């Protein structure tokens, strides 16, 4: 099994580029912006959760859950994309569990047609 290399988006201009030019796909808890990039063998992942959502411990927990959900699906998705996940501010983050976020990530990837075709 070959591990894919996923890098994180860190700079403000990298986030802005994906958020302005990327395709928006929303699930129940997450909103994702997906844009093709020039990295042929890796994806770029960005996580942005507003400070108004909850306190730091809650935000870090949400980021860990989203990151883990992404890494479980990483082998099945296409390379060469920048993906930014945002928390849907209409949803309360207090009682959200891993299963719900994982299902949301899978739904977003299937909607955006990022899954590799099996054949």
């Amino acid at each position: 099994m070959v591990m894919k290399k996923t890098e994180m988006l860190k700079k403000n201009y990298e986030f802005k580029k994906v958020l302005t030019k990327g395709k928006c796909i929303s699930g129940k808890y997450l909103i994702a912006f997906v844009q093709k990039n020039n990295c042929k063998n890796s994806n770029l992942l960005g996580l942005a959760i507003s400070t108004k959502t909850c306190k730091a411990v809650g935000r870090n927990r949400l980021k860990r859950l989203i990151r883990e959900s992404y890494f479980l699906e990483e082998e099945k998705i296409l390379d060469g994309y920048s993906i930014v996940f945002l928390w849907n501010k209409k949803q309360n983050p207090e009682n959200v569990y891993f299963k719900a976020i994982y299902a949301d990530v899978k739904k977003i990837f299937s909607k955006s047609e990022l899954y590799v075709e099996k054949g």
Side-chain angles (χ1 to χ4, degrees):
M1 183 160 110
V2 178
M3 290 296 291
K4 284 189 180 181
K5 176 127 174 71
T6 297
E7 296 178 26
M8 299 299 288
L9 294 175
K10 292 186 176 125
K11 303 285 184 194
N12 192 22
Y13 70 89
E14 294 171 334
F15 277 91
K16 279 186 179 176
K17 183 179 174 189
V18 177
L19 293 175
T20 55
K21 296 182 180 178
K23 179 181 167 189
C24 178
I25 302 109
S26 55
K28 182 176 180 182
Y29 298 104
L30 300 171
I31 300 168
F33 287 84
V34 178
Q35 180 191 20
K36 194 131 179 82
N37 64 25
N38 294 329
C39 302
K40 298 289 182 216
N41 57 354
S42 68
N43 289 327
L44 300 173
L45 178 66
L47 303 172
I49 299 175
S50 171
T51 56
K52 295 177 184 176
T53 304
C54 53
K55 295 188 178 186
V57 174
R59 290 195 306 274
N60 289 335
R61 177 180 168 269
L62 291 174
K63 287 191 268 187
R64 276 195 316 272
L65 295 175
I66 295 167
R67 206 176 292 122
E68 183 60 29
S69 300
Y70 171 80
F71 286 131
L72 287 174
E73 291 296 302
E74 184 180 28
E75 291 294 318
K76 303 173 193 166
I77 61 175
L78 298 169
D79 289 335
Y81 286 90
S82 296
I83 304 163
V84 173
F85 285 107
L86 305 176
W87 184 258
N88 188 350
K89 61 185 176 188
K90 296 176 186 168
Q91 296 296 328
N92 184 9
E94 300 295 318
N95 301 321
V96 176
Y97 296 104
F98 175 75
K99 273 187 172 178
I101 291 177
Y102 184 52
D104 224 21
V105 168
K106 285 171 43 174
K107 179 181 171 185
I108 286 170
F109 284 152
S110 63
K111 268 186 180 180
S112 62
E113 300 170 355
L114 282 182
Y115 281 122
V116 176
E117 299 292 324
K118 291 183 178 164

